[in-house]
Amino acid sequence: MFPGQGDFGLTSLLRTLPRTRSLATAVTEVFEEADAVAPEFDVPPIGPRLAGSPPLSVGALAADPPGTVQLALFGVSLAVHRALEADGCRAHRLLAVSFGEIPALTAAGCCSTADGARLACRLGQVLTGRGGGMTLLGTGPAAAARLIAAAGPGAGAVVVACVNHSGETVLSGPLAGLSVLEHSATARGIPARRLRLPFMSHHPALTREARAFAEFAGRLRLTPPRRPVYSVVSGRFHQPDTDLPGALSACLIRPFDLPAVLGAGLTDASLIVEAGTGSTLTNSVRRIDPYREALAPIADGRWPTGPPAPLPSPRPGPSPTAPDTGASHHSPTATTPSTATTATTARRHA
């Protein structure tokens, strides 16, 4: 599973690198390619800083030009995926949540690492220019909607952006409206926490930004995925004729409901592995479907390994890349014990 931007940290990664050779190798190789395009966006290279002293933090990256954090998240997610596969955790399909669409599509062969890095940097620039923010509520979408309605005009243009599971919802919108709703939630005993993101996402007001991002993506060479990629935002697998620039830009304006779409993306998966540094997406999967085995190897400190195995023979029924008309919106990746599905997601699925 490839997560979004809301659950990205470096502490666990830096702790894992010295004891996981495959991950250290993948990080070096990915950032050699990704950092080569950083100057195009006035973004400093990431790779050398990961090995530097003092230890690099997301807070330090956030002080750099827009696009820096996104370049780091893209590279780390792709590196985790490559390292897992190098150690025999072979993905049957990739599950992408929001920003996670970029490394997932790169891993699926839709674009080069350099172009994936370009998409990540440009997305950071587009979103940062708009402002706003996102808030995690410790309640479900129905209660979140009632909270917005009760606030009246004070809520402004705040919307329900993401549903992580029945007990977590993410709001997106202008900062003033988020502040009103955070105070209202706290007064009602509902946990509320502002995410460390200097922008809003999954918001209908980002139409102009989505159009600009789609135009940028359309200038790059994007090809059909060479392995199944399930988009949590669209609620279906990408097809050979999917408008990939449009699909990427839709993550800026469309909400997603992970519980509503997760099942279609994880059909037949016996092991689900998060290709990121956090565990929010994995914890959501565990909450939604406690009978599935889900692992966040960096955050959990458990690195899965196994002998490389061929992909299993397809079972009777629809192709894994066929559209799933019964699904809604959101992302992860699934696997079998020696043939794992890797997915990357954004923290609190932003």
Side-chain angles (χ1 to χ4, degrees):
M1 301 185 294
F2 290 81
Q5 300 181 69
D7 189 20
F8 178 47
L10 290 173
T11 302
S12 296
L13 174 74
L14 296 177
R15 185 170 57 243
T16 306
L17 281 172
R19 61 174 186 258
T20 310
R21 181 179 299 180
S22 60
L23 180 60
T25 299
V27 165
T28 298
E29 293 176 350
V30 167
F31 280 107
E32 282 180 353
E33 300 176 73
D35 283 343
V37 308
E40 299 175 18
F41 302 89
D42 295 323
V43 166
I46 303 297
R49 301 168 71 189
L50 287 174
S53 182
L56 186 61
S57 68
V58 174
L61 293 175
D64 287 329
T68 304
V69 173
Q70 288 73 25
L71 177 62
L73 173 56
F74 163 78
V76 167
S77 294
L78 186 60
V80 171
H81 165 76
R82 287 188 182 179
L84 287 168
E85 296 216 318
D87 284 341
C89 195
R90 178 80 167 89
H92 289 161
R93 66 189 74 102
L94 309 178
L95 189 149
V97 178
S98 190
F99 177 90
E101 296 255 357
I102 298 175
L105 291 174
T106 305
C110 296
C111 66
S112 65
T113 300
D115 278 347
R118 290 184 174 97
L119 288 168
C121 290
R122 183 58 183 146
L123 180 61
Q125 292 178 336
V126 167
L127 286 174
T128 302
R130 187 60 168 76
M134 305 184 79
T135 293
L136 174 68
L137 295 181
T139 190
R146 289 194 295 270
L147 196 67
I148 293 173
V158 173
V159 301
V160 172
C162 316
V163 179
N164 293 341
H165 55 71
S166 61
E168 281 189 357
T169 306
V170 179
L171 305 181
S172 178
L175 299 180
L178 289 177
S179 294
V180 168
L181 291 166
E182 288 162 0
H183 285 99
S184 179
T186 301
R188 289 167 168 77
I190 299 173
R193 178 171 60 83
R194 185 75 59 85
L195 299 184
R196 295 181 301 172
L197 297 172
F199 47 73
M200 59 185 180
S201 188
H202 299 283
H203 197 288
L206 295 174
T207 302
R208 183 179 63 182
E209 287 76 10
R211 185 181 305 115
F213 186 56
E215 291 175 353
F216 176 83
R219 295 196 293 270
L220 303 178
R221 185 174 182 272
L222 302 178
T223 59
R226 294 199 287 267
R227 66 170 76 182
V229 178
Y230 186 81
S231 167
V232 167
V233 171
S234 69
R236 64 188 61 202
F237 286 95
H238 289 309
Q239 301 296 300
D241 61 350
T242 294
D243 172 13
L244 293 179
L248 288 166
S249 66
C251 297
L252 278 68
I253 57 178
R254 291 186 60 176
F256 70 77
D257 184 338
L258 186 59
V261 302
L262 185 65
L266 299 182
T267 304
D268 297 334
S270 59
L271 175 63
I272 305 158
V273 185
E274 182 165 349
T277 62
S279 60
T280 294
L281 182 56
T282 298
N283 289 335
S284 291
V285 172
R286 291 166 176 163
R287 176 73 177 264
I288 295 166
D289 189 350
Y291 296 102
R292 291 189 187 272
E293 183 180 0
L295 177 65
I298 302 297
D300 292 346
R302 294 171 50 211
W303 189 261
T305 59
L311 291 177
S313 300
R315 298 188 179 187
S319 163
T321 57
D324 179 60
T325 56
S328 174
H329 315 289
H330 222 104
S331 86
T333 305
T335 74
T336 61
S338 63
T339 314
T341 301
T342 311
T344 308
T345 66
R347 159 81 182 173
R348 288 322 178 191
H349 314 320

